[in-house]
Amino acid sequence: MARDQVYKFKDEQSFRNFITNNEFVVVNFTSTESRESIEINSTFSNLSWEHPKVKFVQVVDEEAPMIFRAWEVSGIPSFMFFYNKDNKECVDCYGSDNLAIKVRMFSKQAEEAQAKKDKEAKEAKQAREASFAVQALQYNHGLW
């Protein structure tokens, strides 16, 4: 992982695997030759630090043209938001302010999903512990 919390991929299979193995992913399809891309890249990097539940990926056209073709990226910069491996939204040429708002909303979804998972895991643990306690009582009273 890069120092700025943004992952970078040059081959399509690694990129696809990353999306498959992470729940919330925002992808910045960018170019070193696009003024708009250069301006928004610093915002994207800053957002990666502000929203640790979301994985941030940058794909540079000049370094990974096969990924651009495979994902049919038509505009630069373009952003794709993935939730549970599904592309939930694709936006071309997002401004810094709009990108920040969208990422904050996406991050909130990630936090809510994690809170739900944590609650379900806690309830499952409590159910297992209660079941064990009942079995122990039954065993101690000769009912098992």
Side-chain angles (χ1 to χ4, degrees):
M1 183 169 64
R3 234 179 57 233
D4 59 3
Q5 303 293 314
V6 177
Y7 296 82
K8 297 181 181 180
F9 294 96
K10 294 183 180 182
D11 70 277
E12 207 273 329
Q13 188 59 48
S14 297
F15 175 73
R16 187 175 299 276
N17 289 343
F18 187 84
I19 290 170
T20 300
N21 293 319
N22 289 282
E23 192 171 15
F24 288 89
V25 181
V26 178
V27 182
N28 174 9
F29 290 96
T30 188
S31 171
T32 58
E33 298 175 6
S34 163
R35 182 182 57 79
E36 293 87 2
S37 289
I38 293 167
E39 290 173 1
I40 207 160
N41 287 344
S42 63
T43 299
F44 192 74
S45 179
N46 290 337
L47 289 167
S48 74
W49 283 101
E50 294 173 22
H51 304 282
K53 301 260 187 247
V54 176
K55 302 296 185 193
F56 289 78
V57 175
Q58 185 177 62
V59 179
V60 179
D61 184 26
E62 296 81 7
E63 297 172 2
M66 297 302 287
I67 297 175
F68 271 70
R69 281 194 281 283
W71 290 86
E72 300 176 356
V73 176
S74 59
I76 296 175
S78 288
F79 298 90
M80 288 188 185
F81 295 81
F82 293 87
Y83 173 59
N84 282 337
K85 307 169 197 89
D86 293 326
N87 182 355
K88 293 298 182 189
E89 187 171 356
C90 180
V91 182
D92 293 337
C93 301
Y94 235 43
S96 293
D97 292 339
N98 291 333
L99 177 63
I101 291 166
K102 179 65 181 168
V103 168
R104 284 185 189 106
M105 290 175 14
F106 196 59
S107 181
K108 184 174 181 180
Q109 290 176 339
E111 290 169 4
E112 290 169 354
Q114 186 62 50
K116 182 178 178 184
K117 280 184 184 178
D118 292 347
K119 180 181 177 189
E120 289 170 353
K122 182 179 178 181
E123 289 171 352
K125 181 181 176 189
Q126 290 172 337
R128 285 191 306 275
E129 290 171 350
S131 175
F132 180 73
V134 168
Q135 289 175 359
L137 283 171
Q138 290 173 340
Y139 180 78
N140 288 337
H141 293 303
L143 301 173
W144 202 36

PDB file of all heavy atoms in Angstrom, residues 23-59:
ATOM      1  N   GLU A  23     -15.105  -4.886   0.784  1.00  0.00           N
ATOM      2  CA  GLU A  23     -16.530  -4.571   0.773  1.00  0.00           C
ATOM      3  C   GLU A  23     -16.849  -3.200   0.183  1.00  0.00           C
ATOM      4  O   GLU A  23     -17.756  -3.049  -0.626  1.00  0.00           O
ATOM      5  CB  GLU A  23     -17.069  -4.672   2.202  1.00  0.00           C
ATOM      6  CG  GLU A  23     -18.546  -4.647   2.275  1.00  0.00           C
ATOM      7  CD  GLU A  23     -19.063  -4.970   3.667  1.00  0.00           C
ATOM      8  OE1 GLU A  23     -18.286  -4.941   4.637  1.00  0.00           O
ATOM      9  OE2 GLU A  23     -20.261  -5.237   3.761  1.00  0.00           O
ATOM     10  N   PHE A  24     -16.116  -2.177   0.588  1.00  0.00           N
ATOM     11  CA  PHE A  24     -16.358  -0.812   0.122  1.00  0.00           C
ATOM     12  C   PHE A  24     -15.102  -0.298  -0.569  1.00  0.00           C
ATOM     13  O   PHE A  24     -14.060  -0.154   0.064  1.00  0.00           O
ATOM     14  CB  PHE A  24     -16.709   0.104   1.293  1.00  0.00           C
ATOM     15  CG  PHE A  24     -18.068  -0.145   1.856  1.00  0.00           C
ATOM     16  CD1 PHE A  24     -18.261  -1.071   2.868  1.00  0.00           C
ATOM     17  CD2 PHE A  24     -19.164   0.559   1.366  1.00  0.00           C
ATOM     18  CE1 PHE A  24     -19.527  -1.300   3.383  1.00  0.00           C
ATOM     19  CE2 PHE A  24     -20.433   0.329   1.881  1.00  0.00           C
ATOM     20  CZ  PHE A  24     -20.617  -0.604   2.887  1.00  0.00           C
ATOM     21  N   VAL A  25     -15.214  -0.001  -1.863  1.00  0.00           N
ATOM     22  CA  VAL A  25     -14.068   0.446  -2.651  1.00  0.00           C
ATOM     23  C   VAL A  25     -14.478   1.635  -3.517  1.00  0.00           C
ATOM     24  O   VAL A  25     -15.519   1.602  -4.177  1.00  0.00           O
ATOM     25  CB  VAL A  25     -13.531  -0.683  -3.567  1.00  0.00           C
ATOM     26  CG1 VAL A  25     -12.323  -0.212  -4.361  1.00  0.00           C
ATOM     27  CG2 VAL A  25     -13.190  -1.938  -2.765  1.00  0.00           C
ATOM     28  N   VAL A  26     -13.647   2.668  -3.505  1.00  0.00           N
ATOM     29  CA  VAL A  26     -13.822   3.802  -4.407  1.00  0.00           C
ATOM     30  C   VAL A  26     -12.615   3.805  -5.339  1.00  0.00           C
ATOM     31  O   VAL A  26     -11.474   3.770  -4.881  1.00  0.00           O
ATOM     32  CB  VAL A  26     -13.886   5.150  -3.657  1.00  0.00           C
ATOM     33  CG1 VAL A  26     -14.021   6.305  -4.638  1.00  0.00           C
ATOM     34  CG2 VAL A  26     -15.023   5.166  -2.668  1.00  0.00           C
ATOM     35  N   VAL A  27     -12.880   3.847  -6.640  1.00  0.00           N
ATOM     36  CA  VAL A  27     -11.811   3.818  -7.631  1.00  0.00           C
ATOM     37  C   VAL A  27     -11.759   5.145  -8.372  1.00  0.00           C
ATOM     38  O   VAL A  27     -12.776   5.633  -8.866  1.00  0.00           O
ATOM     39  CB  VAL A  27     -12.012   2.673  -8.649  1.00  0.00           C
ATOM     40  CG1 VAL A  27     -10.856   2.630  -9.639  1.00  0.00           C
ATOM     41  CG2 VAL A  27     -12.159   1.340  -7.931  1.00  0.00           C
ATOM     42  N   ASN A  28     -10.565   5.696  -8.439  1.00  0.00           N
ATOM     43  CA  ASN A  28     -10.299   6.925  -9.174  1.00  0.00           C
ATOM     44  C   ASN A  28      -9.570   6.539 -10.458  1.00  0.00           C
ATOM     45  O   ASN A  28      -8.412   6.139 -10.430  1.00  0.00           O
ATOM     46  CB  ASN A  28      -9.426   7.850  -8.323  1.00  0.00           C
ATOM     47  CG  ASN A  28      -8.977   9.100  -9.043  1.00  0.00           C
ATOM     48  OD1 ASN A  28      -9.426   9.409 -10.133  1.00  0.00           O
ATOM     49  ND2 ASN A  28      -8.060   9.817  -8.416  1.00  0.00           N
ATOM     50  N   PHE A  29     -10.273   6.627 -11.586  1.00  0.00           N
ATOM     51  CA  PHE A  29      -9.646   6.410 -12.885  1.00  0.00           C
ATOM     52  C   PHE A  29      -9.102   7.760 -13.325  1.00  0.00           C
ATOM     53  O   PHE A  29      -9.872   8.700 -13.550  1.00  0.00           O
ATOM     54  CB  PHE A  29     -10.652   5.863 -13.890  1.00  0.00           C
ATOM     55  CG  PHE A  29     -11.069   4.453 -13.601  1.00  0.00           C
ATOM     56  CD1 PHE A  29     -12.224   4.190 -12.896  1.00  0.00           C
ATOM     57  CD2 PHE A  29     -10.293   3.381 -14.018  1.00  0.00           C
ATOM     58  CE1 PHE A  29     -12.617   2.888 -12.624  1.00  0.00           C
ATOM     59  CE2 PHE A  29     -10.669   2.078 -13.761  1.00  0.00           C
ATOM     60  CZ  PHE A  29     -11.842   1.831 -13.053  1.00  0.00           C
ATOM     61  N   THR A  30      -7.788   7.852 -13.436  1.00  0.00           N
ATOM     62  CA  THR A  30      -7.143   9.140 -13.609  1.00  0.00           C
ATOM     63  C   THR A  30      -6.116   9.101 -14.739  1.00  0.00           C
ATOM     64  O   THR A  30      -5.889   8.061 -15.343  1.00  0.00           O
ATOM     65  CB  THR A  30      -6.498   9.574 -12.275  1.00  0.00           C
ATOM     66  OG1 THR A  30      -6.024  10.905 -12.394  1.00  0.00           O
ATOM     67  CG2 THR A  30      -5.376   8.649 -11.862  1.00  0.00           C
ATOM     68  N   SER A  31      -5.497  10.232 -14.967  1.00  0.00           N
ATOM     69  CA  SER A  31      -4.467  10.352 -15.997  1.00  0.00           C
ATOM     70  C   SER A  31      -3.439  11.369 -15.531  1.00  0.00           C
ATOM     71  O   SER A  31      -3.782  12.351 -14.882  1.00  0.00           O
ATOM     72  CB  SER A  31      -5.087  10.801 -17.312  1.00  0.00           C
ATOM     73  OG  SER A  31      -4.087  11.127 -18.248  1.00  0.00           O
ATOM     74  N   THR A  32      -2.197  11.143 -15.900  1.00  0.00           N
ATOM     75  CA  THR A  32      -1.152  12.116 -15.570  1.00  0.00           C
ATOM     76  C   THR A  32      -1.209  13.315 -16.499  1.00  0.00           C
ATOM     77  O   THR A  32      -0.553  14.316 -16.249  1.00  0.00           O
ATOM     78  CB  THR A  32       0.248  11.470 -15.666  1.00  0.00           C
ATOM     79  OG1 THR A  32       0.425  10.964 -16.994  1.00  0.00           O
ATOM     80  CG2 THR A  32       0.409  10.351 -14.653  1.00  0.00           C
ATOM     81  N   GLU A  33      -2.004  13.206 -17.556  1.00  0.00           N
ATOM     82  CA  GLU A  33      -2.089  14.278 -18.548  1.00  0.00           C
ATOM     83  C   GLU A  33      -3.347  15.131 -18.416  1.00  0.00           C
ATOM     84  O   GLU A  33      -3.542  16.070 -19.180  1.00  0.00           O
ATOM     85  CB  GLU A  33      -2.010  13.672 -19.949  1.00  0.00           C
ATOM     86  CG  GLU A  33      -0.694  12.954 -20.185  1.00  0.00           C
ATOM     87  CD  GLU A  33      -0.648  12.243 -21.520  1.00  0.00           C
ATOM     88  OE1 GLU A  33      -1.594  12.395 -22.322  1.00  0.00           O
ATOM     89  OE2 GLU A  33       0.330  11.520 -21.753  1.00  0.00           O
ATOM     90  N   SER A  34      -4.189  14.815 -17.461  1.00  0.00           N
ATOM     91  CA  SER A  34      -5.440  15.543 -17.289  1.00  0.00           C
ATOM     92  C   SER A  34      -5.327  16.527 -16.132  1.00  0.00           C
ATOM     93  O   SER A  34      -5.069  16.140 -14.993  1.00  0.00           O
ATOM     94  CB  SER A  34      -6.578  14.548 -17.023  1.00  0.00           C
ATOM     95  OG  SER A  34      -7.689  15.201 -16.472  1.00  0.00           O
ATOM     96  N   ARG A  35      -5.546  17.802 -16.418  1.00  0.00           N
ATOM     97  CA  ARG A  35      -5.477  18.826 -15.370  1.00  0.00           C
ATOM     98  C   ARG A  35      -6.503  18.554 -14.271  1.00  0.00           C
ATOM     99  O   ARG A  35      -6.213  18.660 -13.082  1.00  0.00           O
ATOM    100  CB  ARG A  35      -5.713  20.214 -15.982  1.00  0.00           C
ATOM    101  CG  ARG A  35      -5.607  21.347 -14.975  1.00  0.00           C
ATOM    102  CD  ARG A  35      -5.889  22.704 -15.615  1.00  0.00           C
ATOM    103  NE  ARG A  35      -7.183  22.793 -16.269  1.00  0.00           N
ATOM    104  CZ  ARG A  35      -8.355  22.978 -15.640  1.00  0.00           C
ATOM    105  NH1 ARG A  35      -8.374  23.094 -14.340  1.00  0.00           N
ATOM    106  NH2 ARG A  35      -9.487  23.050 -16.326  1.00  0.00           N
ATOM    107  N   GLU A  36      -7.726  18.166 -14.675  1.00  0.00           N
ATOM    108  CA  GLU A  36      -8.772  17.871 -13.695  1.00  0.00           C
ATOM    109  C   GLU A  36      -8.361  16.708 -12.789  1.00  0.00           C
ATOM    110  O   GLU A  36      -8.604  16.737 -11.587  1.00  0.00           O
ATOM    111  CB  GLU A  36     -10.097  17.549 -14.392  1.00  0.00           C
ATOM    112  CG  GLU A  36     -10.705  18.712 -15.124  1.00  0.00           C
ATOM    113  CD  GLU A  36     -10.184  18.849 -16.554  1.00  0.00           C
ATOM    114  OE1 GLU A  36      -9.374  18.010 -17.000  1.00  0.00           O
ATOM    115  OE2 GLU A  36     -10.579  19.812 -17.226  1.00  0.00           O
ATOM    116  N   SER A  37      -7.741  15.697 -13.377  1.00  0.00           N
ATOM    117  CA  SER A  37      -7.296  14.542 -12.587  1.00  0.00           C
ATOM    118  C   SER A  37      -6.235  14.945 -11.580  1.00  0.00           C
ATOM    119  O   SER A  37      -6.287  14.562 -10.414  1.00  0.00           O
ATOM    120  CB  SER A  37      -6.728  13.445 -13.491  1.00  0.00           C
ATOM    121  OG  SER A  37      -7.744  12.818 -14.221  1.00  0.00           O
ATOM    122  N   ILE A  38      -5.274  15.711 -12.031  1.00  0.00           N
ATOM    123  CA  ILE A  38      -4.172  16.135 -11.155  1.00  0.00           C
ATOM    124  C   ILE A  38      -4.733  16.935  -9.983  1.00  0.00           C
ATOM    125  O   ILE A  38      -4.324  16.739  -8.837  1.00  0.00           O
ATOM    126  CB  ILE A  38      -3.132  16.938 -11.957  1.00  0.00           C
ATOM    127  CG1 ILE A  38      -2.444  15.997 -12.965  1.00  0.00           C
ATOM    128  CG2 ILE A  38      -2.115  17.586 -11.027  1.00  0.00           C
ATOM    129  CD1 ILE A  38      -1.630  16.702 -14.029  1.00  0.00           C
ATOM    130  N   GLU A  39      -5.698  17.809 -10.261  1.00  0.00           N
ATOM    131  CA  GLU A  39      -6.284  18.629  -9.196  1.00  0.00           C
ATOM    132  C   GLU A  39      -7.050  17.792  -8.183  1.00  0.00           C
ATOM    133  O   GLU A  39      -7.005  18.050  -6.984  1.00  0.00           O
ATOM    134  CB  GLU A  39      -7.207  19.688  -9.807  1.00  0.00           C
ATOM    135  CG  GLU A  39      -6.472  20.760 -10.561  1.00  0.00           C
ATOM    136  CD  GLU A  39      -7.398  21.710 -11.314  1.00  0.00           C
ATOM    137  OE1 GLU A  39      -8.636  21.532 -11.234  1.00  0.00           O
ATOM    138  OE2 GLU A  39      -6.880  22.620 -11.988  1.00  0.00           O
ATOM    139  N   ILE A  40      -7.751  16.780  -8.635  1.00  0.00           N
ATOM    140  CA  ILE A  40      -8.607  16.016  -7.728  1.00  0.00           C
ATOM    141  C   ILE A  40      -7.848  14.896  -7.005  1.00  0.00           C
ATOM    142  O   ILE A  40      -8.302  14.381  -5.981  1.00  0.00           O
ATOM    143  CB  ILE A  40      -9.843  15.471  -8.467  1.00  0.00           C
ATOM    144  CG1 ILE A  40     -10.991  15.286  -7.478  1.00  0.00           C
ATOM    145  CG2 ILE A  40      -9.543  14.183  -9.197  1.00  0.00           C
ATOM    146  CD1 ILE A  40     -12.339  15.224  -8.143  1.00  0.00           C
ATOM    147  N   ASN A  41      -6.655  14.531  -7.504  1.00  0.00           N
ATOM    148  CA  ASN A  41      -5.901  13.444  -6.873  1.00  0.00           C
ATOM    149  C   ASN A  41      -5.537  13.739  -5.420  1.00  0.00           C
ATOM    150  O   ASN A  41      -5.552  12.840  -4.579  1.00  0.00           O
ATOM    151  CB  ASN A  41      -4.651  13.107  -7.689  1.00  0.00           C
ATOM    152  CG  ASN A  41      -4.978  12.373  -8.962  1.00  0.00           C
ATOM    153  OD1 ASN A  41      -6.076  11.847  -9.136  1.00  0.00           O
ATOM    154  ND2 ASN A  41      -4.029  12.349  -9.881  1.00  0.00           N
ATOM    155  N   SER A  42      -5.221  14.985  -5.096  1.00  0.00           N
ATOM    156  CA  SER A  42      -4.878  15.311  -3.707  1.00  0.00           C
ATOM    157  C   SER A  42      -6.110  15.184  -2.807  1.00  0.00           C
ATOM    158  O   SER A  42      -6.015  14.722  -1.672  1.00  0.00           O
ATOM    159  CB  SER A  42      -4.254  16.697  -3.593  1.00  0.00           C
ATOM    160  OG  SER A  42      -5.173  17.681  -3.983  1.00  0.00           O
ATOM    161  N   THR A  43      -7.261  15.581  -3.311  1.00  0.00           N
ATOM    162  CA  THR A  43      -8.508  15.405  -2.555  1.00  0.00           C
ATOM    163  C   THR A  43      -8.765  13.929  -2.315  1.00  0.00           C
ATOM    164  O   THR A  43      -9.116  13.520  -1.205  1.00  0.00           O
ATOM    165  CB  THR A  43      -9.702  16.021  -3.321  1.00  0.00           C
ATOM    166  OG1 THR A  43      -9.472  17.413  -3.486  1.00  0.00           O
ATOM    167  CG2 THR A  43     -11.003  15.787  -2.592  1.00  0.00           C
ATOM    168  N   PHE A  44      -8.572  13.133  -3.346  1.00  0.00           N
ATOM    169  CA  PHE A  44      -8.782  11.687  -3.245  1.00  0.00           C
ATOM    170  C   PHE A  44      -7.856  11.088  -2.184  1.00  0.00           C
ATOM    171  O   PHE A  44      -8.297  10.300  -1.343  1.00  0.00           O
ATOM    172  CB  PHE A  44      -8.535  11.045  -4.614  1.00  0.00           C
ATOM    173  CG  PHE A  44      -8.996   9.626  -4.717  1.00  0.00           C
ATOM    174  CD1 PHE A  44     -10.347   9.321  -4.817  1.00  0.00           C
ATOM    175  CD2 PHE A  44      -8.088   8.582  -4.736  1.00  0.00           C
ATOM    176  CE1 PHE A  44     -10.781   8.007  -4.927  1.00  0.00           C
ATOM    177  CE2 PHE A  44      -8.509   7.263  -4.849  1.00  0.00           C
ATOM    178  CZ  PHE A  44      -9.858   6.985  -4.942  1.00  0.00           C
ATOM    179  N   SER A  45      -6.603  11.489  -2.197  1.00  0.00           N
ATOM    180  CA  SER A  45      -5.636  11.003  -1.210  1.00  0.00           C
ATOM    181  C   SER A  45      -6.044  11.407   0.207  1.00  0.00           C
ATOM    182  O   SER A  45      -6.004  10.595   1.136  1.00  0.00           O
ATOM    183  CB  SER A  45      -4.246  11.537  -1.533  1.00  0.00           C
ATOM    184  OG  SER A  45      -3.315  11.109  -0.589  1.00  0.00           O
ATOM    185  N   ASN A  46      -6.453  12.650   0.391  1.00  0.00           N
ATOM    186  CA  ASN A  46      -6.890  13.121   1.711  1.00  0.00           C
ATOM    187  C   ASN A  46      -8.108  12.348   2.197  1.00  0.00           C
ATOM    188  O   ASN A  46      -8.207  12.003   3.382  1.00  0.00           O
ATOM    189  CB  ASN A  46      -7.196  14.615   1.683  1.00  0.00           C
ATOM    190  CG  ASN A  46      -5.955  15.457   1.522  1.00  0.00           C
ATOM    191  OD1 ASN A  46      -4.849  15.026   1.832  1.00  0.00           O
ATOM    192  ND2 ASN A  46      -6.126  16.659   1.014  1.00  0.00           N
ATOM    193  N   LEU A  47      -9.036  12.078   1.296  1.00  0.00           N
ATOM    194  CA  LEU A  47     -10.233  11.319   1.674  1.00  0.00           C
ATOM    195  C   LEU A  47      -9.874   9.905   2.135  1.00  0.00           C
ATOM    196  O   LEU A  47     -10.530   9.352   3.012  1.00  0.00           O
ATOM    197  CB  LEU A  47     -11.212  11.263   0.503  1.00  0.00           C
ATOM    198  CG  LEU A  47     -11.905  12.580   0.171  1.00  0.00           C
ATOM    199  CD1 LEU A  47     -12.605  12.497  -1.183  1.00  0.00           C
ATOM    200  CD2 LEU A  47     -12.885  12.966   1.264  1.00  0.00           C
ATOM    201  N   SER A  48      -8.809   9.347   1.576  1.00  0.00           N
ATOM    202  CA  SER A  48      -8.396   7.998   1.980  1.00  0.00           C
ATOM    203  C   SER A  48      -7.991   7.953   3.447  1.00  0.00           C
ATOM    204  O   SER A  48      -8.191   6.946   4.119  1.00  0.00           O
ATOM    205  CB  SER A  48      -7.265   7.481   1.087  1.00  0.00           C
ATOM    206  OG  SER A  48      -6.029   8.119   1.375  1.00  0.00           O
ATOM    207  N   TRP A  49      -7.440   9.026   3.945  1.00  0.00           N
ATOM    208  CA  TRP A  49      -7.064   9.096   5.361  1.00  0.00           C
ATOM    209  C   TRP A  49      -8.282   9.344   6.254  1.00  0.00           C
ATOM    210  O   TRP A  49      -8.349   8.861   7.380  1.00  0.00           O
ATOM    211  CB  TRP A  49      -6.040  10.209   5.585  1.00  0.00           C
ATOM    212  CG  TRP A  49      -4.677   9.806   5.148  1.00  0.00           C
ATOM    213  CD1 TRP A  49      -4.048  10.159   3.987  1.00  0.00           C
ATOM    214  CD2 TRP A  49      -3.781   8.943   5.842  1.00  0.00           C
ATOM    215  NE1 TRP A  49      -2.820   9.563   3.920  1.00  0.00           N
ATOM    216  CE2 TRP A  49      -2.623   8.821   5.048  1.00  0.00           C
ATOM    217  CE3 TRP A  49      -3.834   8.258   7.048  1.00  0.00           C
ATOM    218  CZ2 TRP A  49      -1.534   8.045   5.426  1.00  0.00           C
ATOM    219  CZ3 TRP A  49      -2.746   7.485   7.422  1.00  0.00           C
ATOM    220  CH2 TRP A  49      -1.616   7.388   6.621  1.00  0.00           C
ATOM    221  N   GLU A  50      -9.238  10.102   5.751  1.00  0.00           N
ATOM    222  CA  GLU A  50     -10.416  10.461   6.538  1.00  0.00           C
ATOM    223  C   GLU A  50     -11.419   9.314   6.675  1.00  0.00           C
ATOM    224  O   GLU A  50     -12.232   9.335   7.595  1.00  0.00           O
ATOM    225  CB  GLU A  50     -11.132  11.654   5.894  1.00  0.00           C
ATOM    226  CG  GLU A  50     -10.345  12.943   5.915  1.00  0.00           C
ATOM    227  CD  GLU A  50     -11.026  14.042   5.112  1.00  0.00           C
ATOM    228  OE1 GLU A  50     -12.249  13.963   4.887  1.00  0.00           O
ATOM    229  OE2 GLU A  50     -10.321  14.987   4.695  1.00  0.00           O
ATOM    230  N   HIS A  51     -11.370   8.347   5.767  1.00  0.00           N
ATOM    231  CA  HIS A  51     -12.392   7.292   5.720  1.00  0.00           C
ATOM    232  C   HIS A  51     -11.745   5.905   5.667  1.00  0.00           C
ATOM    233  O   HIS A  51     -11.702   5.265   4.619  1.00  0.00           O
ATOM    234  CB  HIS A  51     -13.323   7.515   4.520  1.00  0.00           C
ATOM    235  CG  HIS A  51     -13.963   8.856   4.537  1.00  0.00           C
ATOM    236  ND1 HIS A  51     -15.040   9.145   5.340  1.00  0.00           N
ATOM    237  CD2 HIS A  51     -13.655  10.009   3.883  1.00  0.00           C
ATOM    238  CE1 HIS A  51     -15.375  10.416   5.167  1.00  0.00           C
ATOM    239  NE2 HIS A  51     -14.551  10.959   4.296  1.00  0.00           N
ATOM    240  N   PRO A  52     -11.257   5.433   6.815  1.00  0.00           N
ATOM    241  CA  PRO A  52     -10.509   4.163   6.836  1.00  0.00           C
ATOM    242  C   PRO A  52     -11.343   2.912   6.542  1.00  0.00           C
ATOM    243  O   PRO A  52     -10.784   1.880   6.192  1.00  0.00           O
ATOM    244  CB  PRO A  52      -9.939   4.113   8.253  1.00  0.00           C
ATOM    245  CG  PRO A  52     -10.851   4.987   9.058  1.00  0.00           C
ATOM    246  CD  PRO A  52     -11.325   6.054   8.124  1.00  0.00           C
ATOM    247  N   LYS A  53     -12.657   2.985   6.633  1.00  0.00           N
ATOM    248  CA  LYS A  53     -13.501   1.812   6.342  1.00  0.00           C
ATOM    249  C   LYS A  53     -13.659   1.584   4.841  1.00  0.00           C
ATOM    250  O   LYS A  53     -14.111   0.540   4.412  1.00  0.00           O
ATOM    251  CB  LYS A  53     -14.880   1.978   6.976  1.00  0.00           C
ATOM    252  CG  LYS A  53     -14.858   2.141   8.466  1.00  0.00           C
ATOM    253  CD  LYS A  53     -15.182   0.854   9.140  1.00  0.00           C
ATOM    254  CE  LYS A  53     -15.325   1.068  10.629  1.00  0.00           C
ATOM    255  NZ  LYS A  53     -14.315   0.439  11.381  1.00  0.00           N
ATOM    256  N   VAL A  54     -13.290   2.581   4.061  1.00  0.00           N
ATOM    257  CA  VAL A  54     -13.389   2.502   2.604  1.00  0.00           C
ATOM    258  C   VAL A  54     -11.984   2.320   2.032  1.00  0.00           C
ATOM    259  O   VAL A  54     -11.046   2.964   2.478  1.00  0.00           O
ATOM    260  CB  VAL A  54     -14.026   3.785   2.031  1.00  0.00           C
ATOM    261  CG1 VAL A  54     -14.052   3.760   0.512  1.00  0.00           C
ATOM    262  CG2 VAL A  54     -15.429   3.990   2.592  1.00  0.00           C
ATOM    263  N   LYS A  55     -11.857   1.445   1.052  1.00  0.00           N
ATOM    264  CA  LYS A  55     -10.580   1.250   0.359  1.00  0.00           C
ATOM    265  C   LYS A  55     -10.565   2.168  -0.859  1.00  0.00           C
ATOM    266  O   LYS A  55     -11.542   2.242  -1.608  1.00  0.00           O
ATOM    267  CB  LYS A  55     -10.405  -0.197  -0.101  1.00  0.00           C
ATOM    268  CG  LYS A  55     -10.465  -1.210   1.021  1.00  0.00           C
ATOM    269  CD  LYS A  55      -9.340  -1.021   1.994  1.00  0.00           C
ATOM    270  CE  LYS A  55      -9.388  -2.136   3.033  1.00  0.00           C
ATOM    271  NZ  LYS A  55      -8.555  -1.900   4.149  1.00  0.00           N
ATOM    272  N   PHE A  56      -9.468   2.850  -1.052  1.00  0.00           N
ATOM    273  CA  PHE A  56      -9.310   3.787  -2.153  1.00  0.00           C
ATOM    274  C   PHE A  56      -8.294   3.234  -3.146  1.00  0.00           C
ATOM    275  O   PHE A  56      -7.216   2.807  -2.760  1.00  0.00           O
ATOM    276  CB  PHE A  56      -8.843   5.144  -1.629  1.00  0.00           C
ATOM    277  CG  PHE A  56      -9.906   5.881  -0.865  1.00  0.00           C
ATOM    278  CD1 PHE A  56     -10.206   5.529   0.444  1.00  0.00           C
ATOM    279  CD2 PHE A  56     -10.613   6.910  -1.451  1.00  0.00           C
ATOM    280  CE1 PHE A  56     -11.193   6.190   1.157  1.00  0.00           C
ATOM    281  CE2 PHE A  56     -11.602   7.585  -0.747  1.00  0.00           C
ATOM    282  CZ  PHE A  56     -11.895   7.222   0.553  1.00  0.00           C
ATOM    283  N   VAL A  57      -8.677   3.273  -4.422  1.00  0.00           N
ATOM    284  CA  VAL A  57      -7.832   2.746  -5.488  1.00  0.00           C
ATOM    285  C   VAL A  57      -7.670   3.812  -6.559  1.00  0.00           C
ATOM    286  O   VAL A  57      -8.633   4.490  -6.914  1.00  0.00           O
ATOM    287  CB  VAL A  57      -8.459   1.479  -6.122  1.00  0.00           C
ATOM    288  CG1 VAL A  57      -7.647   1.001  -7.316  1.00  0.00           C
ATOM    289  CG2 VAL A  57      -8.604   0.374  -5.096  1.00  0.00           C
ATOM    290  N   GLN A  58      -6.462   3.913  -7.062  1.00  0.00           N
ATOM    291  CA  GLN A  58      -6.204   4.815  -8.178  1.00  0.00           C
ATOM    292  C   GLN A  58      -5.664   3.998  -9.346  1.00  0.00           C
ATOM    293  O   GLN A  58      -4.733   3.208  -9.175  1.00  0.00           O
ATOM    294  CB  GLN A  58      -5.196   5.881  -7.781  1.00  0.00           C
ATOM    295  CG  GLN A  58      -4.970   6.924  -8.848  1.00  0.00           C
ATOM    296  CD  GLN A  58      -4.019   7.990  -8.381  1.00  0.00           C
ATOM    297  OE1 GLN A  58      -2.870   7.699  -8.090  1.00  0.00           O
ATOM    298  NE2 GLN A  58      -4.501   9.219  -8.303  1.00  0.00           N
ATOM    299  N   VAL A  59      -6.266   4.182 -10.504  1.00  0.00           N
ATOM    300  CA  VAL A  59      -5.812   3.522 -11.719  1.00  0.00           C
ATOM    301  C   VAL A  59      -5.458   4.619 -12.720  1.00  0.00           C
ATOM    302  O   VAL A  59      -6.305   5.446 -13.069  1.00  0.00           O
ATOM    303  CB  VAL A  59      -6.899   2.594 -12.304  1.00  0.00           C
ATOM    304  CG1 VAL A  59      -6.394   1.934 -13.575  1.00  0.00           C
ATOM    305  CG2 VAL A  59      -7.320   1.542 -11.277  1.00  0.00           C
TER     306      VAL A  59
END
